[in-house]
Amino acid sequence: MIRLSSYVAGRWFEGNGPGALLINPATEEVMAEANAAGIDFGAVLDHARKVGGPALRQLTFKERATLLMTLSKLFHAHREELLDLGQANGGGTRGDAKFDVDGAIGTLAAYSVFGDKLAERTGNRKSILDGEMFALTRSPRFVGQHLWTTRAGVAVHINAFNFPAWGTFEKLAAAWLAGVPVVTKPATSTALLTWRMVQLMVESGKFPEGAIQLVCGSTGDLLDRLGPMDSLAFTGSAATGTMLRSNNNLLRNSVRVNVEADSLNALVLGPDVEVGSDLWSAALRLIVQDMTQKSGQKCTAIRRVLVPAERAEELGEALVDALSGLKVGNPMAGGTLGPVATMSQQRDVLAGIATLAAEGKLLCGGSSRVEGVDAPAGKGAYVAPTVILMKDGSAPGKVHDLEIFGPCVSLLPYDGSAGAAACILSMGQGSLVSTVVSDQRPWLEELLNGAAPWLGRMLLLSSKIADSATPPGMVLPALVHGGPGRAGGGEELGGERGLCFYMQRTALQGDQVVLRKILGLEG
Ligand code: NAP
């Protein structure tokens, strides 16, 4: 069995004592164990502050962009091995593993390109201008200019179990481009892939020492040691996010905290979407994709489907039919819908289905454990794809509160008005993303104005783009990722916007001639 060590203060460290076990949820075979007990987190922060931070900060944006491309290529060169590990520890299909690993490779490459573009504006300057210089008084010499500079701290990244590759490296991409060293902690249950990726980085010798440190296991007193220049970016459940962000030390030192938490994302079918139309089929495809990709374990997956009441039954029938061809089972042996990531995740998902099924009508699936095809008898964290039809989508209920992190969706009949749809969306208390499907522009406009404040991202799916649109579950590096309220209130990615979390905006006041000179500006 592999024992996952942590990479801290320039060396690999094996935790003291027995570790937490990592399993393959398709078979329950034990893959590895991990334990971080005994790490000196004071030394970890020292190493990042004294070694990694200065090494990154002395690089130009162009050089940091090159570093990100080197990293993207390194992972691409080991892609097959990484996909194997992702599948073995995550339990999903090859496609599921690709979504994670290729997501990491692609986001690193995208941030490298953002860095190159930034470098065209900044040249050798290591700060970023925010807006134009402007006169503050009647004297044209006395001016103001906002400027972003790199914070001389450490970025602590804590990630969820569902994206051990993408989650780790989408965060790292923005931090490194900003010039900030990273201490990263994957969720223990699926840490095998992250561990191997960091091992590849260290073995390659191509990245500045101290720019990345890895903790496989508990973070001990790390958060109690963070200071005013440091930041914490967390992805995981709302409960853990709330607990971490209320840490006294983080509050006392105004440590920046970004939380990406759970979310009751929705898809809204407009009143104009006819049964069997192209938009109807496109919506159906998106729902099935989000239920099945990574076995529904995507923070961005559609959980609630708002459908005009008169079409709810037909949508239910079409969905059940589309899901009926799936083979729930071991993806290594032909299963097309793999298990959820852990046995405790399976318990949570089945309990959640039981709760929601009590509020509506179960159309397929259910809250009982199922045997996986080609899995050892009685083993594996399998869940049947489940569709629940609610009576009235606008009625309050658990469906607006309980995120079932698995292959389950609820259908919410509504009256077809944009006002009712916006109101139901808002009952999720803030979501990462939602999709609205319609060709009716006034209806879309009304829904946009009512719903957008509750959403981090919104896909407006109309006929002309139905074939070319990326699915809502796919987070794009150029667009912001995060959502208000229960989704955590955070914001990651969004191209250059992602750097702001790791940089300080300072308002400069001074002599135009002096400022232009020291900022390397023309004229
Ligand atoms: P979780 O149980 O909240 O764990 C998330 C991370 O927090 C793990 O790395 C976990 O480490 C760590 N953690 C737990 N307690 C901690 C503590 N006291 N101090 C420091 N770290 C601690 O969430 P999960 O079950 O892994 O992930 C599923 C949830 O993540 C879902 O609700 C999903 O919606 C959400 N999610 C959100 C996004 C997004 O971008 N918004 C993306 C993916 C997932 P251990 O594993 O070692 O306990």
Side-chain angles (χ1 to χ4, degrees), residues 41 44-45 156 183 215 219-226 249:
F41 285 104
V44 169
L45 291 175
V156 173
V183 176
V215 177
T219 49
D221 63 357
L222 174 63
L223 302 190
D224 300 327
R225 292 171 171 275
L226 297 184
N249 177 58

Side-chain angles (χ1 to χ4, degrees), residues 97-113:
K98 284 180 188 167
F99 195 62
D100 185 25
V101 171
D102 291 346
I105 293 171
T107 304
L108 286 165
Y111 261 84
S112 176
V113 174

Side-chain angles (χ1 to χ4, degrees), residues 159 161-162 185 187-188 219 235-237 240 260-262 299 403 481:
N159 278 301
F161 70 82
N162 55 339
K185 177 205 154 14
T188 306
T219 49
T235 297
S237 62
T240 310
E260 297 294 339
D262 53 45
C299 53
E403 182 203 43
H481 172 59

